[in-house]
Structures are given as structure tokens and as C-alpha cells.
Amino acid sequence: MRREHVLTTKELSRSDIEAVLDRAVDIARDPPDRSQYEDTILALLFFEPSTRTKMSFDTAMKRLGGTTVDLGPVGSSSVTKGESLADTVRVIEGYADGIVLRHPSEGAAKMASEFVDVPLINAGDGAGHHPTQTLLDLYTIRENVGFDDLSIGIMGDLKYGRTVHSLSHALTKLDARQHFISPESLRLPRSVRYDLHEAGANVREHTEIEDVLSSLDVLYVTRIQRERFHDENEYRKVAGQYHITPDLLEGADDDLIVMHPLPRVDEIAPDVDETAHAKYFQQAHNGVPVRMALLDLLLGGANK
Amino acid sequence: MRREHVLTTKELSRSDIEAVLDRAVDIARDPPDRSQYEDTILALLFFEPSTRTKMSFDTAMKRLGGTTVDLGPVGSSSVTKGESLADTVRVIEGYADGIVLRHPSEGAAKMASEFVDVPLINAGDGAGHHPTQTLLDLYTIRENVGFDDLSIGIMGDLKYGRTVHSLSHALTKLDARQHFISPESLRLPRSVRYDLHEAGANVREHTEIEDVLSSLDVLYVTRIQRERFHDENEYRKVAGQYHITPDLLEGADDDLIVMHPLPRVDEIAPDVDETAHAKYFQQAHNGVPVRMALLDLLLGGANK
Amino acid sequence: MRREHVLTTKELSRSDIEAVLDRAVDIARDPPDRSQYEDTILALLFFEPSTRTKMSFDTAMKRLGGTTVDLGPVGSSSVTKGESLADTVRVIEGYADGIVLRHPSEGAAKMASEFVDVPLINAGDGAGHHPTQTLLDLYTIRENVGFDDLSIGIMGDLKYGRTVHSLSHALTKLDARQHFISPESLRLPRSVRYDLHEAGANVREHTEIEDVLSSLDVLYVTRIQRERFHDENEYRKVAGQYHITPDLLEGADDDLIVMHPLPRVDEIAPDVDETAHAKYFQQAHNGVPVRMALLDLLLGGANK
């Protein structure tokens, strides 16, 4: 994987994925020698708000022994002067050994990657992809329930969520049974369904979590965004229906894990946090070893 | 003090305070080996504007040999997506070895500390507390005039200032004579006066600085915020009355030191800066060794 | 150059300039030992948006082995509480070994420098100066075409551009022939023309690029800012006229280099990027070795 860009999960094979996860396991146990990274700089370009993704890339680079430079909030950069993304990344590749890019436009990362020679990692491009989120999701799944004969429910806003789209492409390569649970208005987009179908995915769609809960190894919950609804009543109805509580989880397997890419608002009741099902904070923390592994695979050779 | 949170000055004993100040003196003279901190990351979570506190924590961690990760301005983080503070800190404790938190709500630091296992330092919670400001204030007082038989005047906005409240609790433990000087409308809140009374504080209140100036070892000036006044004329009257000039200081002891937590606006005339009384810049600079000492006491064991 | 401020190009002699450029060449080839800078902190104070200048100073300090502390966007600092710039820099000199300052007011860097003992570098003060931009511009010119018998065209907004003013003062010391090309409304200000005249500069003014293009070694293009024009039609007319294309460059010497301080908007057509003339990205990248050299000259002695 040296000196390549990481843009979508579509282009990652099962063995690419396993290589990153295996490296993450190794790194969590035995981090590489810091001196290898003392002159490594990672540029963080976030054109949209982010806490987890940005801070965990920042942490990952620093835990390896390198450092970061940050474009800062868009309002405080020259992007406000009308500069193109292509120009911005071409300048910044002269500063850094790698670039992490979040951008509101789908396809932005792919376009930007064509202008730079340093590795560029897509940290979310509009409704497009978010491959490193998927890698940490898979790490969490593998360490808790494994990949064999996996049955996963993915619930909430399946229409707009790049996290869901990235995850689903990867799960297809793992031959997982994927149950999509959402209100009709937030179904997986036709284009994603088509792609998954073409890739031979094992997919079913549901509108009721109860129909499928007992058969799941993993329940992956996503945020239903209020701003997607024109009608506040409609939002409340949907939000109330897709709300995970300890009571609801009585109907699940004891070993079911509940995941969420965070931030959550009301999708998971706080008293679920105390149950053994709750893995969403562990999931967030896994962003560090997984991103350390990815950076190590992409940048490690730079100083060798 | 290992692995503990630092939330208020109320819970710090005189010997806790002296331990931090002694460590700060040592560190300023002979900093610990940097390699001890090479893998230490401090998270900076500032939900309110800050220059001095944030930059001096950042500096302190880096002078020790560690590094920081920064949540950034609130508008550029997922907090804008409605995430609770409890969730935010639970995620971030997976990235960092310690957390520094400033938040506009009184009690936020205490609440947040109940959700995390890494040390959390309160860097200001609304009108509540600001214990590290107090520690650097005390360091400045001790190095200039000592703690014995201390007489201190605290002037300005005593109603809203968390700096004043934190300092006053600590001064009580040092048996200092505390003179509070403010207009009637900005008196120390009843609840703070009650607490101080219960703790056996030696406290007097004044409305005129001239009544007490000559008896002071320390004059601690705070900013009177224009936005607290509905009436601009009323503000001007008060601001004019609580304005320190070289002329006024003619009436003070030669060894009186003038302190201010900064930023100042009009409370202290610029030509006071040239007098030997002025210690407010030294005070700000003392934030670095004092915060290095605190971080060393809280985090130093982590890598030992 | 130890322990001095860098405020304008006016006060840099030709040998000062050559010393920085020579050091940059050395550093690019053989960077100094990182351990020398492990306890060096550079403060970044940007009171105006910046990408290139800020990120390349940040990168330069980190490539040397040091680190930075950042004031952050102005809205998130205590500057919003009304603090004076003099107070801000006096506080921050207690944290850092050097200060980089960008400020919207002309003269701000000079004023601020009078209050601090650590080296202060002007990274742009309103319509005033931007000396480090000039140093990287000169580095790019020297490595591509050399300084002997230099003929340079400077085109676009010559009225407001501090980059142009700083560059022009330095070019005068190199005895370059300077051709200024702009619409009448964006001519070099009278005060700058007067200064250049007094310094014995070899200067001509033009309104048409075609009049002078074939005689140039360097074409330095600057951004024409839409907001300077009251009339949109007037803007379009001017912008269309001062627009560099491969066709236009057919009329230039094969060895002509095209430079731009970036960000560009429409001044240079994207297909110029593919020609051998285009040096603006290389120019931006040169910010790192040049700023490393400057920091090394200013701060290197601090830890020796």
C-alpha cells in the first residue's frame, strides 16, 4: 500500500482491509520506533466540521512520533479568497508527507488526489465515502464478534450517510448478511443498492428493527438528522421509532454489539452505555490504532 | 496527586498548593527529562475563547516534551451537531493522556470529570472556578512578597469573576487578609461570601481603593466588563473610579505588587507598566512553569 | 542576524538577503541537527486569514525539530475582549522563543516588536510589508534565472499588494530592471514610487503586458481583487486584460518564469500549469527551506 491514496472502500480488497487491521493489532501491542517518524508531517485539511476524525488522525500521527500541520477552519484560510481545491492541495504537498482531506463535495478527494504525489486520505467527501471510518468499524467488529458468518443490522439515515455507504461496500467483500433498517424516506439510495447488488451483496431491507434484531451480531446505529425533515412531526415520529433502549435490547442476542459512528443525539438512550452491548466509545477509540496502522503503511517507507 | 482531576481550589489543601508551587520552582530551574513525555498527549477542549490559558497549557505540555491535540473552535467541531459534553470527553479520553476543559457552564468540569478516567483539569467553568489561574497567581505572590501575614486587595468585578472566586478560596487557606474593593453592584456574590465566612476567611469589603491601599502587599485588579451594565454612563462612572494610575500608586507601599489576570482594557493605565509595582506580565508568564508542574504531577507517572 | 526582528525588506541589505538564501540552500541539502530545536517554540499570531504563510512557518519550525503554539482564529482568542496588541505580544513572549505576526494594520509588526525581546517576524501587516514572502520569491528567482542583469515584470494589483511593495524594495537592492504592469486604477502608490525613486530603482510603468513581455526573465503576477472595484463591468474588463494564457506566453522568452504569490483566482489559466514557465507551486514550496533558514538564523543561537 505504499505511496497510494485511500479514497473509497470500493477499491480496497479483503486482503488490503485485513492488512490494515492486522497492522493495527500489532501497533496497539508494539508501536514502531518513534524516531522513524520524527521528520514526518501530516497535513490536516478539514473543510467541514469534525471532532473525532480530525483529532484521531492528529493523535495517530503524534503517537507514531510525527507531527501535523492544520489548515484550520476554512474561514481563516485563503480558501475564502476563492482558491481552487486543486491549487490548495498542490501547495500543501510541498509542506507535508501526506494529506488528510475532508470536503463537503462528493468526489472532492478523488479529484484532489489527481493533483498530488503524496498519499491523500479521504476523511469524508460529502455523501460519498469515508474509508477510514469503515476500517475502524471493521476493527471493532472483528475484535468483538469476528467476520465469520456475520449478520449486521445498519439502522437510521441510510440515504445521506457516507459512513453507511463506505461500510456496506466493505461488508460485501466480507460476505456479511446486511440488514438495512430505516423509514421509507431514508432508504439506501438506489445507486448504492445497485452497486451492492452488482457486487453480489447479501442485502435485505426492513422498516422495523424488531423484525430482525434477534438474528444480529452487530447493530450499527446512525444519526437521523432533524434538518432532513420538512415536517417536525414527521421527524419526531421517525426518531421515536428508531431509538435504542435497554428494553429493546432484551430481544437481542447476549453477544450483540451496538455501534454508532458518533456523534449521537437521541438514537441511543444513555442507559444503554452501561450495558455490555455498548461498543461505540471503544469504536471511537479504535480510530487511533487503525489510523496509526494506515499511516504506517502509507508513510512508513518515506523515512526508511 | 497522581491520576486525579483538578476542578476547584476548594478541594486543594495548603500543602497541595505548596507542592505544585515547589515543583514549579524546581521545573523552572531544572526541567525533567523530555524523553519521559515523548508519548504524552494533552487534549485542549476550549468551548469558550481563550488566549493565555490555552496557549500556556499548550506551551507547558510542549516544554515538558509532550504534545497536544486541540478540539478547535466549537463551530468547527461536532459539538455543533448536538453532542453532549459527556460523550465528547468519553471519546477524547481515548486519544489523550489528560484533558484541559474550558466551558461556559458552571459545573461543567465536575460533570465531565465523572465520565473519564484520565486526569481532567478545569480551565474555567462559567462563573465557577479556574484553579490553575489561582495557582499561577499564588506562585507570583509567593515569589514576590511571600505568604506570611499577607494583605491583599482584590478589586473590580467581584460578582462574575471565576478568577476571583477561585483565588479567594485559596487565600483563605493561607490565612491572608482579603480586602474586596468594588462598586456595590459588582460585590462578591452572597454565596461566595457565605462560603468564605464558613471557611473562616478574614474578609473585608470596601467601595474605595483609597481606604485600604496603603495597607496592602498585593493589589489584584480585574476587568470590569462593559456588557454587565445596562447604562453606559453608569459603566463610565464605575470604570473611571476603579482605574489604577502611577499617581494613585504614590499612596501605596513601595513593595506593593499590582496583579491582573489579563486581558486588561482600561483598568490599569499603560504607564503603570513601567513601575516596579507591575507584575501582571510576569504573572502571565508564570502560567508556564506552574502548568508544567501541575501536568508533571498529574501525568508524570503515566510513562514512568 | 541573531535576536533581531524581521519587519520589512527595506532594512535588509543585499548581503542579509543572500545570507538567508544561502542558508536555505544549505538547509535543503543538509538540515541542522533536530535535537538543537527540541525545546524551541514558535508562536503563530495570525489576525488575518492565511494558508500558505502560516502553514509554511508551522512546517518550517517543525522540520527544524521545534514546535509551534497558535493563537488560533481571532474570534476564539481574548483579542475579542479588547486586549491591545502590545499586551498580547508581551504575554506571548513569555511562552515562545519567537513570534510570527500577521495583522491587518500597516505598521502593526513594527509597533509590536518594540514591546518584545524575542525575535518577531512580520508575516504581513495590512498594505505594508511581507518580507518573508519576498525572501522566498527571491530564492525562486535566483535558483531559476539568477540575479545578474535581471528583468522582471510585476503585474496586476500594484496598489494594495504588500507582496509587491516588499519585493520591489528588495529588487532595487539587486539592481533589477522592474517593469510594473497594471491598469491605471491599480498603479503602484505614489509613496512607494517615491521610495523606489529615492533608492535609485530602475523602474518603468506599463498598462499592456505585450509591450514588455519579450524582454522579461520573470513575470510576477498578482491577484486583482474583485472587491476593489465598484463596477463589476470595470472589474471584468481589467481581469480579462491581465490574464495569462499559454497563447500569450508564446510571445515570451523560452526561459521566462511565471510566478504568483497565490492564491490565484483567474489571473493565470490552469493550462499554463503544464508549461515549463510555471514556477508558482515551486515558489510556494520554497517557503519551507527559506523560512527554515530564517528561523535558524534568528533562533539557532538560542539553544546553542
Side-chain angles (χ1 to χ4, degrees):
Chain A
M1 279 188 79
R2 273 204 59 211
R3 290 272 149 205
E4 287 177 13
H5 306 306
V6 177
L7 303 176
T8 75
T9 51
K10 281 192 195 178
E11 73 227 14
L12 294 178
S13 68
R14 176 161 181 161
S15 69
D16 287 335
I17 292 169
E18 300 258 21
V20 178
L21 305 191
D22 290 346
R23 187 81 192 98
V25 171
D26 286 351
I27 274 181
R29 198 183 301 132
D30 180 25
D33 181 10
R34 296 176 62 84
S35 66
Q36 185 192 341
Y37 286 99
E38 66 176 13
D39 192 30
T40 301
I41 295 180
L42 183 67
L44 306 174
L45 273 60
F46 280 73
F47 291 83
E48 274 191 335
S50 167
T51 303
R52 261 158 298 284
T53 305
K54 186 172 173 184
M55 287 185 89
S56 80
F57 266 115
D58 196 5
T59 300
M61 189 72 256
K62 288 167 178 170
R63 290 271 181 230
L64 283 171
T67 190
T68 59
V69 291
D70 185 353
L71 178 69
V74 173
S76 69
S77 80
S78 72
V79 175
T80 54
K81 297 175 190 164
E83 181 169 64
S84 73
L85 179 60
D87 276 14
T88 302
V89 295
R90 271 184 288 190
V91 167
I92 287 167
E93 76 162 333
Y95 304 156
D97 303 296
I99 295 175
V100 178
L101 175 68
R102 168 165 294 184
H103 199 277
S105 302
E106 192 168 341
K110 180 159 179 45
M111 185 280 283
S113 73
E114 289 163 8
F115 288 92
V116 295
D117 288 323
V118 301
L120 184 145
I121 301 172
N122 182 6
D125 60 325
H129 296 270
H130 194 354
T132 63
Q133 176 70 45
T134 296
L135 289 168
L136 72 91
D137 291 343
L138 295 176
Y139 184 91
T140 308
I141 291 170
R142 194 175 78 164
E143 78 175 335
N144 281 285
V145 299
F147 288 160
D148 286 349
D149 196 29
L150 179 67
S151 173
I152 179 168
I154 303 180
M155 188 176 104
D157 179 352
L158 309 181
K159 186 167 180 183
Y160 300 100
R162 59 189 169 209
T163 296
V164 167
H165 306 165
S166 277
L167 179 59
S168 188
H169 285 297
L171 289 168
T172 300
K173 289 168 187 159
L174 305 177
D175 301 319
R177 291 191 302 285
Q178 304 181 51
H179 298 275
F180 291 99
I181 307 141
S182 73
E184 186 64 31
S185 61
L186 294 176
R187 274 181 77 188
L188 214 57
R190 179 190 292 267
S191 64
V192 178
R193 275 182 284 149
Y194 178 83
D195 275 6
L196 293 176
H197 179 77
E198 286 293 292
N202 182 340
V203 167
R204 288 193 201 164
E205 294 187 86
H206 311 265
T207 56
E208 308 288 333
I209 172 72
E210 287 83 355
D211 290 352
V212 68
L213 180 63
S214 65
S215 74
L216 300 177
D217 301 309
V218 177
L219 176 59
Y220 194 102
V221 184
T222 67
R223 191 163 56 101
I224 292 179
Q225 294 176 266
R226 187 181 300 240
E227 55 271 32
R228 304 293 186 204
F229 292 82
H230 299 296
D231 180 349
E232 176 75 14
N233 284 331
E234 180 64 20
Y235 165 73
R236 294 208 165 280
K237 204 180 104 194
V238 166
Q241 211 176 337
Y242 295 84
H243 179 63
I244 306 301
T245 61
D247 270 5
L248 180 87
L249 294 175
E250 295 286 328
D253 193 281
D254 283 353
D255 295 331
L256 171 88
I257 64 169
V258 177
M259 297 174 64
H260 192 300
L262 303 178
R264 66 172 160 178
V265 183
D266 289 317
E267 306 86 40
I268 302 177
D271 45 3
V272 173
D273 302 358
E274 310 308 320
T275 71
H277 301 296
K279 297 295 176 193
Y280 25 93
F281 293 117
Q282 185 191 108
Q283 178 188 359
H285 299 170
N286 286 337
V288 177
V290 168
R291 290 180 171 119
M292 287 173 77
L294 190 69
L295 293 172
D296 189 50
L297 290 166
L298 293 171
L299 306 177
N303 306 304
K304 271 171 192 160
Chain B
M1 278 189 80
R2 272 204 58 213
R3 293 270 148 204
E4 285 178 16
H5 307 303
V6 176
L7 303 176
T8 75
T9 50
K10 280 191 196 179
E11 73 226 15
L12 295 177
S13 67
R14 175 161 183 162
S15 71
D16 288 335
I17 292 168
E18 301 257 21
V20 177
L21 305 191
D22 289 347
R23 187 82 192 95
V25 171
D26 286 350
I27 275 181
R29 197 183 303 132
D30 179 26
D33 181 11
R34 297 176 62 84
S35 65
Q36 185 191 342
Y37 286 99
E38 66 176 15
D39 193 30
T40 302
I41 295 180
L42 182 68
L44 305 175
L45 274 60
F46 280 74
F47 291 84
E48 273 191 337
S50 167
T51 302
R52 262 156 298 283
T53 305
K54 186 172 171 184
M55 286 186 90
S56 80
F57 266 115
D58 196 5
T59 300
M61 188 72 255
K62 288 168 176 168
R63 289 270 180 231
L64 283 172
T67 191
T68 59
V69 291
D70 186 351
L71 178 70
V74 172
S76 67
S77 79
S78 71
V79 174
T80 55
K81 298 175 190 165
E83 181 169 64
S84 72
L85 179 61
D87 277 14
T88 301
V89 295
R90 270 184 289 189
V91 167
I92 287 168
E93 75 162 332
Y95 305 156
D97 304 295
I99 294 174
V100 178
L101 176 68
R102 168 165 296 184
H103 198 277
S105 303
E106 193 167 342
K110 180 161 179 45
M111 185 279 283
S113 74
E114 289 163 9
F115 288 92
V116 295
D117 288 324
V118 301
L120 185 145
I121 301 171
N122 182 6
D125 60 325
H129 297 270
H130 194 355
T132 64
Q133 176 71 45
T134 296
L135 289 167
L136 72 90
D137 292 343
L138 296 177
Y139 184 92
T140 308
I141 292 169
R142 195 175 77 166
E143 78 176 335
N144 281 286
V145 299
F147 288 159
D148 286 349
D149 196 29
L150 180 66
S151 172
I152 180 169
I154 304 180
M155 189 176 102
D157 179 352
L158 310 181
K159 187 168 179 182
Y160 299 100
R162 58 189 169 208
T163 296
V164 168
H165 306 165
S166 278
L167 178 60
S168 188
H169 286 296
L171 289 168
T172 301
K173 290 168 186 160
L174 304 176
D175 302 318
R177 290 191 302 284
Q178 304 180 51
H179 297 275
F180 291 99
I181 308 141
S182 73
E184 186 64 32
S185 61
L186 295 175
R187 275 181 77 190
L188 214 57
R190 179 190 293 266
S191 64
V192 177
R193 275 181 284 149
Y194 180 82
D195 274 8
L196 292 175
H197 178 78
E198 286 292 293
N202 183 340
V203 166
R204 288 193 201 164
E205 294 187 87
H206 311 265
T207 55
E208 310 287 335
I209 173 69
E210 288 83 355
D211 290 353
V212 67
L213 180 63
S214 65
S215 74
L216 300 178
D217 301 307
V218 177
L219 175 60
Y220 194 103
V221 184
T222 67
R223 191 163 55 101
I224 292 179
Q225 294 176 265
R226 188 181 300 240
E227 56 270 32
R228 304 293 188 204
F229 292 82
H230 300 294
D231 181 348
E232 177 74 14
N233 285 330
E234 179 65 20
Y235 165 72
R236 294 207 164 281
K237 203 180 103 194
V238 167
Q241 210 176 341
Y242 294 85
H243 179 64
I244 305 301
T245 62
D247 270 6
L248 181 86
L249 294 175
E250 296 284 330
D253 192 280
D254 283 352
D255 295 332
L256 171 87
I257 64 169
V258 177
M259 296 173 66
H260 192 299
L262 305 178
R264 65 171 161 178
V265 183
D266 289 317
E267 306 87 38
I268 302 177
D271 47 2
V272 173
D273 303 358
E274 310 308 320
T275 71
H277 300 296
K279 297 295 176 193
Y280 25 93
F281 294 116
Q282 184 191 109
Q283 178 188 358
H285 298 171
N286 285 337
V288 177
V290 169
R291 289 180 171 118
M292 286 174 79
L294 190 69
L295 293 172
D296 189 50
L297 290 165
L298 292 171
L299 306 175
N303 307 303
K304 270 171 192 162
Chain C
M1 279 190 80
R2 271 205 59 211
R3 291 272 147 203
E4 285 177 14
H5 307 304
V6 177
L7 303 176
T8 76
T9 51
K10 281 192 198 180
E11 73 226 15
L12 294 178
S13 68
R14 176 162 181 160
S15 70
D16 287 335
I17 291 169
E18 300 256 20
V20 177
L21 305 191
D22 290 345
R23 188 81 192 96
V25 171
D26 287 350
I27 276 182
R29 197 183 303 131
D30 179 26
D33 181 11
R34 297 177 62 84
S35 66
Q36 184 191 343
Y37 286 99
E38 66 176 14
D39 193 31
T40 301
I41 294 179
L42 182 68
L44 305 175
L45 273 61
F46 280 73
F47 290 85
E48 273 191 336
S50 167
T51 302
R52 260 157 299 284
T53 305
K54 186 172 171 184
M55 286 185 89
S56 79
F57 266 115
D58 197 4
T59 300
M61 189 72 255
K62 288 168 178 170
R63 290 269 180 230
L64 283 172
T67 191
T68 60
V69 292
D70 186 351
L71 178 69
V74 172
S76 68
S77 80
S78 72
V79 174
T80 55
K81 297 175 191 166
E83 182 169 62
S84 73
L85 179 60
D87 276 14
T88 301
V89 295
R90 270 184 288 189
V91 167
I92 286 168
E93 75 163 332
Y95 305 158
D97 303 294
I99 294 175
V100 178
L101 175 68
R102 167 165 294 184
H103 197 278
S105 303
E106 193 167 342
K110 180 159 179 45
M111 185 279 282
S113 74
E114 288 163 8
F115 288 91
V116 296
D117 288 324
V118 301
L120 184 145
I121 301 172
N122 181 7
D125 60 324
H129 296 271
H130 193 355
T132 64
Q133 176 70 46
T134 296
L135 289 167
L136 71 92
D137 292 342
L138 296 176
Y139 184 91
T140 308
I141 292 170
R142 194 175 76 166
E143 78 176 336
N144 282 285
V145 298
F147 288 160
D148 285 349
D149 196 30
L150 179 68
S151 172
I152 178 168
I154 304 181
M155 187 176 104
D157 180 352
L158 310 181
K159 187 168 180 182
Y160 299 100
R162 59 190 168 208
T163 295
V164 168
H165 307 165
S166 278
L167 179 61
S168 188
H169 285 297
L171 289 169
T172 300
K173 289 168 188 162
L174 304 176
D175 300 318
R177 291 192 301 284
Q178 305 181 51
H179 298 274
F180 291 99
I181 308 142
S182 72
E184 186 64 31
S185 61
L186 296 176
R187 274 181 77 189
L188 213 57
R190 180 191 292 267
S191 64
V192 177
R193 275 181 284 150
Y194 179 83
D195 274 8
L196 292 176
H197 178 78
E198 287 292 292
N202 183 339
V203 167
R204 287 191 203 166
E205 294 187 88
H206 312 264
T207 55
E208 310 288 332
I209 172 71
E210 288 83 354
D211 291 351
V212 68
L213 181 61
S214 64
S215 75
L216 300 177
D217 301 308
V218 176
L219 175 60
Y220 194 102
V221 185
T222 67
R223 191 162 57 102
I224 292 180
Q225 293 175 268
R226 188 180 301 241
E227 57 270 31
R228 304 292 187 205
F229 293 81
H230 298 296
D231 180 349
E232 176 75 13
N233 285 330
E234 180 65 19
Y235 166 72
R236 294 208 164 280
K237 203 181 102 194
V238 166
Q241 210 177 339
Y242 295 84
H243 178 64
I244 305 300
T245 61
D247 270 6
L248 181 86
L249 294 174
E250 295 286 329
D253 192 280
D254 283 353
D255 295 333
L256 171 88
I257 65 168
V258 178
M259 297 175 64
H260 192 300
L262 304 180
R264 65 172 160 178
V265 183
D266 290 317
E267 306 86 40
I268 301 178
D271 45 3
V272 174
D273 302 358
E274 310 309 320
T275 72
H277 301 297
K279 297 296 176 193
Y280 26 92
F281 293 117
Q282 185 191 109
Q283 178 189 359
H285 298 171
N286 285 337
V288 177
V290 170
R291 290 180 171 118
M292 286 174 77
L294 190 68
L295 293 172
D296 189 52
L297 290 166
L298 292 171
L299 306 176
N303 307 302
K304 270 169 191 161

